[in-house]
Amino acid sequence: MLLIVFTLSMFASATLLFLVEPMIAKMLLPLLGGTPAVWNTCMVFFQIMLLAGYFYAYVAMKWLGRRTQIVVHLTLVLLPLLVSSLPLHLPRGWEPPTQNSPVFWLLGVLVVSVGLPFFVLSSSTPVLQRWFGDTHHKQASDPYFLYAASNVGSLAGLMAYPFLLEPLLRLSEQSRLWKSGYIIFVLMTLACAALVWNSKSRLATMNLAEAETAATKRIWVERLRWIALAFVPSSLMIGITTALTTDVPAIPLFWVLPLALYLISFILVFAKRQLISHDWLVRRMPFLILAALVPVVSQTKLPLALLLTLYLLVLFVVALVCHGELARSRPAVSRLTEFYLWISVGGVIGGIFNSLVAPLVFHSVLEFPLVLIAAALLRPPIDVKALTGSALLWAKRKDWLLPLALGIVMLAVIIGVGHFGFKPSRPLNILLFGYAMLWCLSFGKRPVRFAAGVAALFFASTFYPGSFGHILHAERSFYGVSRVTNDPDGKFRYLFHGGTIHGIQSLDDTKSREPLAYFTRNGPAGDIFRTEQARLPHGNIAVVGLGAGAMACHLAPGQTLTYYEIDPSVTGIAENPKYFTFLSQCAPNAKIILGDARLKLRDAPDGQYGLISLDAFSGDTIPMHLVTREAVELYKRKLAPGGVLVFQISNLYLQMSPILAALADDAHLKIATADDTYVSPKEIEDGKFPSRWIVMARDEKAIHDLATNSSTPGRWVPVERRQGTRVWTDDYSNLLSIIKWH
């Protein structure tokens, strides 16, 4: 009975804890443009609150008597129900800053909205586990198996959200359901307290020799090792989440998968029976680290399914190895809360490093390869013979000399490739990095040598131009990494956001006013602007998403242009004539409003714009909150009579048409689409990209005029709503239904 009640209580607390994480993050996404940094910052907050909960548990167990502990903890558990923290909701009137990073604003919102219940739940795992460890149950001497049960609950909560709660329930319904679950957790905690209220502490009878033995193990070397082993999987989890959601939407599924594997690793290593051999994992880890490094060093864009599989497999194996080392070094039950405290410290440092330090210090996502190097260093050695004397000295020297040789050779080859004019390509990448990877893999038995080899390989690869070409400028903000580059032929200048091109300009002065990429004059964008010029030659145009500013060159004399851009770094790049001259040449008086478009468009007068075009991006997609019922109603209010609403939906990973068709039908708007995906080799050479567009309007005439003014007859066709497609709202969306998995 005792074991069942404690197991179910810990399962319930962990389930609630990890249900609330994606739920509150999804509530916040509409305020911050759908950027993956929202989730990463939320993860830092969750880790800090977890550390605070573990610290409270450590202090309470160390300084308070049994019954005092119980009274204090029960009071804490009841507090969220007494101070109106539930159901969960965001505080009213809080709007993110537009000029500065919203990180600290976001942390403040999280403290106010979910801080107290999250703190309570995070403290319950070590408190309940320690209460059980103090009993005379036959399994109380090693209660770490309850940590596995807790992580099973965490996993259940995580997986339930994207596959059950998100597709079926609105956010308000999810919040009310979560409150009901919290009440059940309170009742179960009361039951645990009742079961241990009169029991004597098993630890109180521990003899002096055991206490002295426990005390001798409290050394800082051990604690620092715990911190390091917890740091690497935590940092890698957030780094992989960033990598996965840079070019695909920041949706709960892609947050949940890395975190789920992270939790499963704890379940497996702290279980009573080991299902996967620790030594087997240690031997496979070098190969997987190098495999994960391939897209980074070669700047190759892999298919989503392959990238997802590779990164998640690497995270899982690294987490199993690091957490396995933690499980092997777990202390006696008397130090249980201390052990969890130091693990939490490592997790928090990993989160802070990735989410707060890295965006300020690095111009690109360097934290991912750096933590792979740290993982290589922490990995236990493989079949290393005991050496002494000169043999040991020579082996240690080779730990640095061989990686140095690898780095020098790689650097020389990369410089030579550039000197002889070889352009980056898949065969060249295989030839260039394949041999280097095999050479580095030969260092795998010795952790220091292998880590140094990985570092040398990564350093040399920074001189390889890859798909980005010659980088003129790189800048990182809360919203991602922006790069300005020239192509190897010197014909075009590119603006990259993450790994996706979001602007091209010809370096030929005679062609520098020509919109390229998705916005060419002979493509759908040209059709849209020609129609708008004929209909409203002196109209106002709003464009959501600045990019390089190419749309400015579609502007006719007498028309005014207003850009809405959330990322200050993109604005700085587009306005700087050193990088792009679309704005300075074509629309020097264009207005740029910084901030989220949904929030800023509310301030525009109703009926202000004859055309609203959405080309906002978070990686390779329109942020979800810009394609909801409430968003479309806002756009309708801001459109002038006869105005049109435009969506640029060119996308590698999402099929947006069904959602937009449902929204148009719901808003009683006419809708048409243009599929301009066939682009000739000559057009590609001239800088044109395949594109897809959707236009909505109140009346059929606007759609008819668009088809009439098209440079390609029959390009614009109506879109029918698919039967059963549910309308997205601010309270409901389901991106799983529109992901392209192939």
Side-chain angles (χ1 to χ4, degrees):
M1 178 66 177
L2 183 73
L3 180 59
I4 293 173
V5 172
F6 271 87
T7 301
L8 290 177
S9 298
M10 292 184 65
F11 180 89
S13 69
T15 301
L16 290 170
L17 196 66
F18 283 85
L19 271 176
V20 78
E21 292 185 8
M23 186 190 307
I24 198 72
K26 186 170 181 178
M27 290 180 185
L28 285 161
L29 277 177
L31 299 177
L32 292 163
T35 171
V38 173
W39 173 249
N40 289 344
T41 306
C42 287
M43 281 299 302
V44 173
F45 170 79
F46 299 145
Q47 289 171 324
I48 291 172
M49 294 307 296
L50 193 68
L51 175 60
Y54 283 8
F55 182 73
Y56 149 76
Y58 173 70
V59 171
M61 296 302 109
K62 186 172 183 179
W63 298 106
L64 300 180
R66 164 65 62 79
R67 293 189 174 181
T68 305
Q69 292 172 19
I70 292 174
V71 171
V72 169
H73 192 66
L74 290 180
T75 302
L76 192 63
V77 166
L78 289 168
L79 205 54
L81 296 174
L82 302 176
V83 297
S84 301
S85 296
L86 303 176
L88 297 172
H89 58 278
L90 298 182
R92 294 182 179 179
W94 287 53
E95 291 193 5
T98 57
Q99 298 293 335
N100 303 314
S101 171
V103 167
F104 293 105
W105 173 89
L106 178 54
L107 292 174
V109 171
L110 288 166
V111 168
V112 173
S113 59
V114 76
L116 181 58
F118 196 94
F119 172 79
V120 171
L121 291 168
S122 65
S123 67
S124 294
T125 294
V127 167
L128 294 177
Q129 201 168 335
R130 179 60 185 271
W131 283 359
F132 180 80
D134 281 356
T135 68
H136 291 275
H137 192 276
K138 62 181 180 180
Q139 298 189 56
S141 60
D142 186 16
Y144 288 98
F145 70 92
L146 286 174
Y147 191 49
S150 172
N151 282 291
V152 170
S154 302
L155 181 63
L158 274 179
M159 301 313 292
Y161 191 82
F163 295 109
L164 292 176
L165 268 68
E166 186 185 27
L168 299 177
L169 301 177
R170 299 178 182 275
L171 280 169
S172 56
E173 295 168 336
Q174 295 171 22
S175 186
R176 289 193 294 271
L177 179 64
W178 194 89
K179 179 181 179 180
S180 301
Y182 188 85
I183 293 172
I184 294 172
F185 159 73
V186 170
L187 296 175
M188 297 181 75
T189 305
L190 288 169
C192 290
L195 287 171
V196 299
W197 181 263
N198 292 317
S199 65
K200 292 183 179 180
S201 172
R202 183 186 66 83
L203 296 179
T205 63
M206 187 176 70
N207 61 46
L208 183 61
E210 289 175 325
E212 289 176 351
T213 301
T216 59
K217 292 182 179 178
R218 293 193 196 107
I219 54 176
W220 277 104
V221 172
E222 183 180 47
R223 291 169 176 170
L224 291 174
R225 185 170 180 269
W226 289 344
I227 291 172
L229 288 169
F231 164 83
V232 166
S234 171
S235 176
L236 187 60
M237 174 186 64
I238 297 177
I240 283 177
T241 303
T242 300
L244 289 176
T245 55
T246 294
D247 295 315
V248 293
I251 60 173
L253 174 66
F254 293 123
W255 307 332
V256 162
L257 288 177
L259 187 52
L261 292 178
Y262 178 83
L263 292 172
I264 291 172
S265 70
F266 274 118
I267 295 169
L268 293 176
V269 301
F270 281 95
K272 289 188 174 182
R273 181 182 176 185
Q274 299 300 307
L275 298 179
I276 305 176
S277 166
H278 187 72
D279 291 338
W280 186 87
L281 291 168
V282 169
R283 292 175 184 276
R284 271 70 189 170
M285 191 168 152
F287 174 79
L288 288 172
I289 287 175
L290 289 173
L293 204 63
V294 168
V296 178
V297 297
S298 65
Q299 300 176 30
T300 301
K301 200 166 186 178
L302 300 179
L304 175 60
L306 178 59
L307 188 70
L308 190 69
T309 303
L310 174 61
Y311 280 175
L312 293 180
L313 182 60
V314 171
L315 170 63
F316 190 46
V317 171
V318 170
L320 281 171
V321 170
C322 291
H323 293 157
E325 291 294 309
L326 281 172
R328 289 184 169 199
S329 62
R330 63 184 182 268
V333 67
S334 60
R335 297 180 63 204
L336 180 146
T337 54
E338 180 197 353
F339 178 61
Y340 289 146
L341 178 65
W342 292 117
I343 290 177
S344 182
V345 168
V348 169
I349 294 173
I352 290 175
F353 171 68
N354 280 65
S355 299
L356 302 183
V357 176
L360 295 176
V361 175
F362 304 139
H363 291 301
S364 59
V365 189
L366 286 180
E367 61 270 23
F368 179 51
L370 289 179
V371 80
L372 287 176
I373 295 169
L377 187 61
L378 284 174
R379 181 187 56 82
I382 303 172
D383 298 335
V384 176
K385 296 179 181 179
L387 301 174
T388 58
S390 60
L392 177 61
L393 182 62
W394 178 237
K396 288 184 175 180
R397 286 177 179 172
K398 287 197 293 184
D399 286 343
W400 300 103
L401 291 174
L402 289 175
L404 181 62
L406 170 62
I408 291 172
V409 170
M410 273 298 298
L411 187 59
V413 172
I414 288 172
I415 293 173
V417 164
H419 178 74
F420 289 105
F422 290 100
K423 295 181 181 179
S425 63
R426 183 167 295 179
L428 179 62
N429 289 340
I430 294 172
L431 185 65
L432 189 62
F433 294 104
Y435 179 75
M437 292 288 179
L438 291 174
W439 188 0
C440 189
L441 187 61
S442 69
F443 305 158
K445 290 186 176 182
R446 297 182 64 88
V448 172
R449 186 179 301 176
F450 179 62
V454 173
L457 187 59
F458 172 68
F459 173 76
S461 73
T462 60
F463 292 86
Y464 183 60
S467 59
F468 292 123
H470 175 57
I471 298 177
L472 303 175
H473 176 77
E475 187 172 348
R476 185 172 180 178
S477 71
F478 181 81
Y479 302 97
V481 178
S482 299
R483 296 180 181 90
V484 180
T485 74
N486 286 344
D487 77 327
D489 295 329
K491 290 178 60 179
F492 301 111
R493 179 156 297 163
Y494 297 109
L495 171 62
F496 282 90
H497 184 268
T500 304
I501 296 174
H502 281 283
I504 302 179
Q505 186 171 25
S506 174
L507 293 176
D508 183 342
D509 289 341
T510 63
K511 300 178 181 178
S512 60
R513 292 173 178 261
E514 194 65 29
L516 300 175
Y518 314 104
F519 315 112
T520 56
R521 298 188 193 278
N522 66 347
D527 296 346
I528 292 165
F529 278 90
R530 276 193 302 274
T531 304
E532 180 64 16
Q533 290 160 13
R535 189 176 62 85
L536 289 173
H538 299 286
N540 299 319
I541 296 171
V543 176
V544 177
L546 174 59
M551 280 192 167
C553 290
H554 283 289
L555 207 65
Q559 292 181 319
T560 62
L561 177 62
T562 302
Y563 278 106
Y564 291 86
E565 173 57 50
I566 197 170
D567 190 346
S569 66
V570 171
T571 301
I573 290 170
E575 288 186 314
N576 189 341
K578 178 181 175 182
Y579 301 128
F580 294 97
T581 59
F582 288 127
L583 291 178
S584 60
Q585 287 184 305
C586 300
N589 297 320
K591 186 178 181 181
I592 300 176
I593 298 177
L594 272 175
D596 180 74
R598 276 280 301 271
L599 299 176
K600 295 301 179 180
L601 268 170
R602 293 184 311 190
D603 300 332
D606 290 349
Q608 171 81 358
Y609 299 115
L611 170 69
I612 298 177
S613 175
L614 286 99
D615 185 42
F617 61 86
S618 176
D620 206 22
T621 183
I622 296 173
M624 288 185 296
H625 69 295
L626 297 183
V627 284
T628 65
R629 173 185 287 155
E630 293 83 356
V632 172
E633 287 301 320
L634 173 66
Y635 306 148
K636 284 175 63 179
R637 291 199 306 272
K638 304 307 171 182
L639 281 175
V644 294
L645 179 59
V646 178
F647 295 85
Q648 201 276 99
I649 60 168
S650 310
N651 198 286
L652 288 175
Y653 302 118
L654 296 181
Q655 178 60 43
M656 297 295 299
S657 299
I659 300 305
L660 292 171
L663 285 168
D665 181 62
D666 179 71
H668 307 292
L669 296 174
K670 308 301 179 183
I671 181 172
T673 185
D675 189 339
D676 192 34
T677 52
Y678 175 75
V679 180
S680 69
K682 177 64 168 61
E683 289 176 317
I684 293 174
E685 186 180 336
D686 290 339
K688 181 178 180 179
F689 284 3
S691 65
R692 288 187 174 91
W693 297 73
I694 276 183
V695 168
M696 299 181 191
R698 290 188 179 93
D699 56 75
E700 194 70 47
K701 184 178 184 303
I703 303 296
H704 178 267
D705 290 346
L706 182 61
T708 302
N709 284 296
S710 176
S711 60
T712 303
R715 171 183 282 163
W716 292 93
V717 296
V719 183
E720 297 294 332
R721 179 177 181 176
R722 289 183 186 174
Q723 189 173 4
T725 303
R726 188 171 173 181
V727 175
W728 284 9
T729 68
D730 287 349
D731 214 26
Y732 170 82
S733 60
N734 180 16
L735 269 164
L736 280 178
S737 63
I738 61 169
I739 291 178
K740 303 175 186 176
W741 292 104
H742 52 80

